[in-house]
Amino acid sequence: MLHASEVVVYDGRKEVARHERLIAKGKARLELDHYLEALVGKPGAFPGATALEQARSAGKFTPVHDAWWAAACKAHGDRDGTSALIDVLLLGRHLHHEYLVTGLAAALRAGALTADAVALEARKSAEADEAPAAAAPEPDRSRVTFLTERRLAHLPPDDRPLPSVAVYDQLLRPRQRPNRPAAEGETP
């Protein structure tokens, strides 16, 4: 459906997309999010992408994004740093933009240049906004908690017995041959 200020796309009765309407004839606006899956396989195409430039001019790709990306490329190399940034941008499908930017900034301050660290920091920011105002004082956020550490901290205690390799010691002992009478002309 074409409205005065937006275009709404439906698949049957289900809305699948909503975009700002461009008034000028022949203009095109590319949504960076729509290209992320293709860019996962070709991260080298990301720096020169038209969709990236349009996202920058629209304010969706902020200087915080650029700073984190530059640090990730310096730490991991251009290809892996760009892949990490694409993973971070994919988080935007599940997290609000403001939380993602806050997560990027916190991870950058801590030197945590992984998508997991950004996701965790963004979720911590979102949880802090959802917490009631009368809750306990806000925790110190200067330390980044990595997702793996957080998962391991919440595991139940492992009370299984330690494994033993004693039964395998039998395999290391030489096998004893049964005694048989010596044949004629053989030495025992």
Side-chain angles (χ1 to χ4, degrees):
M1 294 188 74
L2 188 60
H3 298 282
S5 61
E6 65 184 2
V7 176
V8 182
V9 181
Y10 292 92
D11 180 16
R13 293 179 180 249
K14 181 181 175 192
E15 180 180 326
V16 292
R18 182 178 294 261
H19 298 286
E20 180 183 348
R21 182 177 177 186
L22 299 176
I23 304 301
K25 189 173 185 175
K27 291 285 186 175
R29 177 169 298 137
L30 303 176
E31 188 68 36
L32 181 59
D33 185 64
H34 295 175
Y35 295 91
L36 293 176
E37 282 86 8
L39 291 169
V40 165
K42 295 186 176 234
F46 186 75
T50 304
L52 174 61
E53 292 307 315
Q54 288 184 3
R56 271 193 181 112
S57 64
K60 293 178 181 176
F61 196 88
T62 66
V64 175
H65 286 83
D66 273 322
W68 190 90
W69 183 19
C73 286
K74 185 177 179 183
H76 306 297
D78 287 343
R79 180 177 175 81
D80 291 339
T82 302
S83 291
L85 176 68
I86 293 168
D87 290 342
V88 167
L89 294 174
L90 285 167
L91 293 171
R93 295 180 178 176
H94 308 286
L95 298 168
H96 289 289
H97 185 260
E98 66 185 82
Y99 299 134
L100 192 58
V101 172
T102 303
L104 279 166
L108 182 60
R109 280 191 306 274
L113 303 171
T114 64
D116 280 348
V118 173
L120 187 60
E121 290 301 313
R123 288 185 181 117
K124 282 168 50 176
S125 177
E127 288 171 3
D129 280 355
E130 293 172 3
E138 192 162 320
D140 178 24
R141 293 203 174 154
S142 61
R143 183 182 179 282
V144 171
T145 306
F146 289 93
L147 198 53
T148 303
E149 290 176 10
R150 185 174 180 188
R151 287 179 183 147
L152 290 175
H154 297 292
L155 288 176
D158 187 5
D159 46 358
R160 295 176 293 176
L162 290 174
S164 172
V165 293
V167 293
Y168 294 104
D169 289 342
Q170 296 173 17
L171 299 174
L172 298 175
R173 293 187 192 123
R175 292 176 61 159
Q176 305 237 342
R177 293 185 180 188
N179 291 337
R180 62 176 176 84
E184 206 175 304
E186 249 183 36
T187 58

